[in-house]
Amino acid sequence: MGNPISAEQLDISVTPLLVDGKRSNKIVMENHSPVMSNWNYGVGVSQKMTDTVLLVITGDNDIIFTGLNPDGSTITKTLTVNIEELSFPVPAEWALLCGDGEKEWEWAATNCWGNGGYLASFEPAWWVLDQNGVEEQAAGEGPNASMVFSISGASLTKKRNDGTSVTGSFSFNMGKKKVTSGGVSWATGEFKTVGVTILCGVSPDEGKIPVNTYDILELTEERLVMAYAPAGTGEWGTAYFWVFVPKK
């Protein structure tokens, strides 16, 4: 075990790859210090000593490094990297969910929450509530409540209608798709939150425990539909559905 070091003693760097002489959105993060690595690059994290990752916006991006010393103490340092152009393709879902950098979503006007068949329904189908019904399920999260998705830090801010808010982070994995028994595409990806839930993000059939992992059923510029079912739910078992639209 070596002696612990301070943040000022860190030997770390963040360097964008150059493409045609311009700083691209693919960066190399390097840690040459005697500490374990944790890089938070806004839209993801990495524990590697050296890693190459993709950023999704131009301009200044903050990279937060947290090092773990041999004695268990942690040190943190923020590096800023400037990106000139998106030389490498960015997943379309970022723009759909966050717009040019930040986008606010609210409940659909009707049929915005409720349950239906897992791997079968594509929106609330059995027990269907409007925004006032949502308010009864989660006080402060019905009419006039909204969510702001931001590319910066992959942050999600839930804005309740009582004036309070809570901020956490989100991630998605568009590789986690699901199909029905008949081979019909059902979920196009998986969405996760940390430190916050989406509006009315609870599971009624499990004592209203917070839900942090959802199936993405639809994500376009004008509509976002998510679903959740307790572990072990079979096809046509009870799932819950959330339907949002961009706030005008």
Side-chain angles (χ1 to χ4, degrees), residues 140-190:
E141 300 188 12
N144 300 314
S146 63
M147 302 179 294
V148 178
F149 291 90
S150 174
I151 288 176
S152 179
S155 69
L156 166 58
T157 299
K158 180 164 64 174
K159 300 166 67 174
R160 301 188 181 94
N161 56 30
D162 60 5
T164 63
S165 64
V166 58
T167 299
S169 61
F170 69 90
S171 62
F172 52 78
N173 183 346
M174 303 312 290
K176 291 202 171 183
K177 305 180 186 300
K178 293 181 180 178
V179 298
T180 68
S181 60
V184 176
S185 174
W186 189 70
T188 61
E190 183 181 79

Side-chain angles (χ1 to χ4, degrees), residues 76-97:
T76 300
K77 187 173 183 178
T78 299
L79 301 179
T80 301
V81 60
N82 183 271
I83 302 304
E84 291 184 277
E85 68 175 18
L86 302 180
S87 309
F88 297 91
V90 172
E93 289 74 24
W94 286 105
L96 294 172
L97 194 61

Side-chain angles (χ1 to χ4, degrees), residues 37-242:
S37 301
N38 185 288
W39 303 91
N40 183 334
Y41 51 97
V43 294
V45 296
S46 173
Q47 282 76 44
K48 295 181 179 180
M49 297 294 283
T50 299
D51 202 0
T52 300
V53 298
L54 186 74
L55 302 183
V56 298
I57 57 174
T58 57
D60 289 341
N61 286 256
D62 287 338
I63 314 298
I64 303 172
F65 176 86
T66 301
L68 178 63
N69 274 309
D71 66 353
S73 62
T74 60
I75 49 178
T76 300
K77 187 173 183 178
T78 299
L79 301 179
T80 301
V81 60
N82 183 271
I83 302 304
E84 291 184 277
E85 68 175 18
L86 302 180
S87 309
F88 297 91
V90 172
E93 289 74 24
W94 286 105
L96 294 172
L97 194 61
C98 304
D100 293 332
E102 189 173 280
K103 188 173 180 179
E104 191 165 4
W105 295 78
E106 62 184 1
W107 290 108
T110 59
N111 301 344
C112 60
W113 190 82
N115 63 24
Y118 179 60
L119 290 173
S121 302
F122 289 88
E123 60 183 8
W126 301 337
W127 179 40
V128 182
L129 300 184
D130 60 12
Q131 296 180 21
N132 291 320
V134 171
E135 185 71 17
E136 296 176 2
Q137 296 296 316
E141 300 188 12
N144 300 314
S146 63
M147 302 179 294
V148 178
F149 291 90
S150 174
I151 288 176
S152 179
S155 69
L156 166 58
T157 299
K158 180 164 64 174
K159 300 166 67 174
R160 301 188 181 94
N161 56 30
D162 60 5
T164 63
S165 64
V166 58
T167 299
S169 61
F170 69 90
S171 62
F172 52 78
N173 183 346
M174 303 312 290
K176 291 202 171 183
K177 305 180 186 300
K178 293 181 180 178
V179 298
T180 68
S181 60
V184 176
S185 174
W186 189 70
T188 61
E190 183 181 79
F191 180 87
K192 290 187 175 184
T193 64
V194 176
V196 67
T197 67
I198 63 174
L199 292 172
C200 195
V202 296
S203 175
D205 296 338
E206 297 174 286
K208 288 191 174 181
I209 61 171
V211 176
N212 294 104
T213 301
Y214 305 82
D215 290 307
I216 301 173
L217 305 191
E218 184 178 346
L219 174 55
T220 68
E221 289 186 354
E222 298 299 328
R223 187 172 160 93
L224 170 62
V225 182
M226 298 188 191
Y228 166 81
T233 302
E235 190 166 4
W236 284 105
T238 301
Y240 284 82
F241 299 81
W242 292 255

